[in-house]
Amino acid sequence: MSAGLLFLLQRGTAILLAPLVLVHLGVVLYAVRDGLDAAEILARTRGNLFWAGFYGLFVLAVSVHASIGLRAVLAEWTGLRGRAADTAALAVAFLLLLLGMRAVWAVVGAP
Amino acid sequence: MADAGTADGPVLDVRIWRGTEKGAFVRYEVPARANQTVLDVVTWVQRHREPDLAYRFACRVGVCGSCAMTVNGRPRWTCRTHVKRLPAHRPLVLEPLRNLPRIRDLVCDLEPFFARWERAGGRFVPTATRRDPLPRIAPDSTARRAVDAGIECINCAVCHAACDVLAWRPEYLGPAPLNRAWTLVNDIRHGAREEVLDRTSGDAGCHACHSQASCSEFCPVGLAPTAAIAGLKRASLWRLLGGSRA
Ligand code: SF4
Ligand code: SF4
Ligand code: FES
């Protein structure tokens, strides 16, 4: 993948993440202030397509954004370049995607 | 001029790097003057204490770009750096520039610096001969102003020494060559503008820059390579999205 495309993807996901993070923080504040317990939260999220889409997109953006950043950190701090850095970054992207999607499924999926 | 080889009266405590990659700081006492540049200090040591001290200078007035050194840990042009105006610091510590191989004492090898100008496509490619009419370029056009902002580089490599990304990624093109590249991308007379973008938008090019602006902070002539690099990033993005260059 070209350096320009990686740059575009990273900045693009950053723009996407800005509002997503704000909404996410709002949701956390709302849930905590209203004293909702786990069962009440799950009752609101289970089967809710909006939150499935919201957090699905969130996880996707994080996986892309973080792994591209990590690729640069690896190049600068460990000297890992080229194919090796690409592979490591890709592995991290898939790991984040997997863990994140599992969490999304736990919150919005069927019981 | 009172340039005696004795150090009566107020003296500066100076440490100068002697040697190559391996070496040591040597201490000198240099007469303090009311009006004295760091280059004057080095010259005094060379004339009165160490005839074989290696250092570079030519114009002594901030034009040639050859006198840059690390002064108290910061890259500076020494001929225009007044000892009195340096932030309080004792002793005065002088080393060669960072991020370049050391040849001897205060002199480093600039070949890797200039090789990057070539790699960035920094050589002008003419599109006309002397018999063609001069192209008309509006002085207030965006492109012409972008060229103006970066054209006065004196190739001193101060920015090169100031850049942390270069210290971490030796293959990075660095601020000065990218600044030069941006002036060429905006120069309608240049015959290889797309090629300059190709050469500067790779992994070791503009996208490696953190925009932290050490280069712009230290550039002695007040250029802003960071802004030029941001221009290259934008241009490479537009090209990627199928648009024209910036
Ligand atoms: S702005 Fe870019 S080129 Fe300038 S010092 Fe920082 S990383 Fe280096
Ligand atoms: S951009 Fe400034 S600091 Fe860098 S080489 Fe040119 S004049 Fe020197
Ligand atoms: S000696 Fe020429 S710029 Fe300093």
Side-chain angles (χ1 to χ4, degrees):
Chain A
M1 208 180 277
S2 82
L5 195 56
L6 289 173
F7 181 81
L8 179 65
L9 282 174
Q10 206 195 17
R11 299 308 146 117
T13 50
I15 293 168
L16 201 62
L17 277 167
L20 293 182
V21 167
L22 287 180
V23 173
H24 171 66
L25 287 176
V27 168
V28 170
L29 282 180
Y30 168 78
V32 171
R33 289 195 120 214
D34 278 13
L36 299 182
D37 64 19
E40 286 168 328
I41 293 175
L42 286 178
R44 286 164 168 78
T45 57
R46 285 257 150 90
N48 187 320
L49 275 184
F50 173 78
W51 289 120
F54 179 88
Y55 279 112
L57 191 65
F58 200 125
V59 166
L60 193 67
V62 166
S63 310
V64 172
H65 186 80
S67 55
I68 296 174
L70 190 76
R71 180 176 171 274
V73 174
L74 284 176
E76 287 168 11
W77 289 20
T78 71
L80 213 57
R81 309 270 152 81
R83 184 69 55 85
D86 289 346
T87 312
L90 215 56
V92 169
F94 277 116
L95 187 70
L96 287 175
L97 199 62
L98 197 76
L99 294 174
M101 287 305 180
R102 236 191 86 209
V104 174
W105 177 250
V107 174
V108 300
Chain B
M1 180 180 142
D3 200 21
T6 50
D8 299 333
V11 290
L12 298 171
D13 180 2
V14 183
R15 314 282 156 101
I16 298 181
W17 180 260
R18 301 296 320 267
T20 53
E21 301 291 344
K22 281 206 199 81
F25 285 101
V26 178
R27 179 166 185 272
Y28 303 97
E29 287 196 340
V30 178
R33 305 260 184 252
N35 196 353
Q36 182 177 36
T37 65
V38 173
L39 186 63
D40 292 336
V41 170
V42 177
T43 300
W44 189 92
V45 172
Q46 194 265 339
R47 287 202 191 148
H48 300 289
R49 293 288 178 270
E50 303 274 14
D52 67 343
L53 177 68
Y55 67 110
R56 276 200 192 103
F57 74 96
C59 71
R60 296 181 294 120
V61 288
V63 174
C64 71
S66 60
C67 65
M69 300 168 198
T70 306
V71 180
N72 297 343
R74 309 276 162 110
R76 296 186 188 275
W77 55 357
T78 55
C79 70
R80 300 277 308 262
T81 302
H82 286 264
V83 175
K84 276 235 169 107
R85 278 189 236 136
L86 284 172
H89 190 293
R90 270 197 307 199
L92 178 64
V93 182
L94 305 176
E95 297 166 76
L97 286 179
R98 198 170 69 125
N99 296 337
L100 289 164
R102 297 175 171 196
I103 295 178
R104 190 160 73 85
D105 302 342
L106 296 167
V107 175
C108 46
D109 183 3
L110 286 162
E111 210 282 326
F113 175 64
F114 291 116
R116 285 174 166 82
W117 289 63
E118 293 283 347
R119 265 209 289 138
R123 197 180 279 272
F124 183 70
V125 179
T127 46
T129 69
R130 71 185 64 197
R131 276 170 289 282
D132 295 311
L134 287 173
R136 301 186 74 86
I137 300 173
D140 55 353
S141 62
T142 316
R144 176 65 237 207
R145 286 216 232 111
V147 175
D148 270 346
I151 203 78
E152 301 288 353
C153 174
I154 59 171
N155 304 13
C156 64
V158 161
C159 55
H160 183 93
C163 178
D164 281 338
V165 171
L166 257 167
W168 297 324
R169 295 176 90 125
E171 77 277 17
Y172 176 43
L173 286 170
L178 291 173
N179 178 71
R180 165 68 176 166
W182 182 235
T183 64
L184 286 178
V185 168
N186 283 289
D187 186 345
I188 59 160
R189 304 164 311 152
H190 184 49
R193 295 199 285 164
E194 288 296 328
E195 195 198 322
V196 173
L197 268 187
D198 288 341
R199 284 167 172 259
T200 53
S201 47
D203 230 5
C206 62
H207 295 297
C209 167
H210 286 212
S211 310
Q212 219 179 336
S214 300
C215 51
S216 311
E217 171 74 20
F218 286 101
C219 173
V221 291
L223 304 190
T226 320
I229 296 168
L232 285 171
K233 288 180 183 176
R234 276 197 310 277
S236 100
L237 276 194
W238 282 122
R239 205 167 60 148
L240 204 65
L241 297 172
S244 66
R245 75 172 74 75

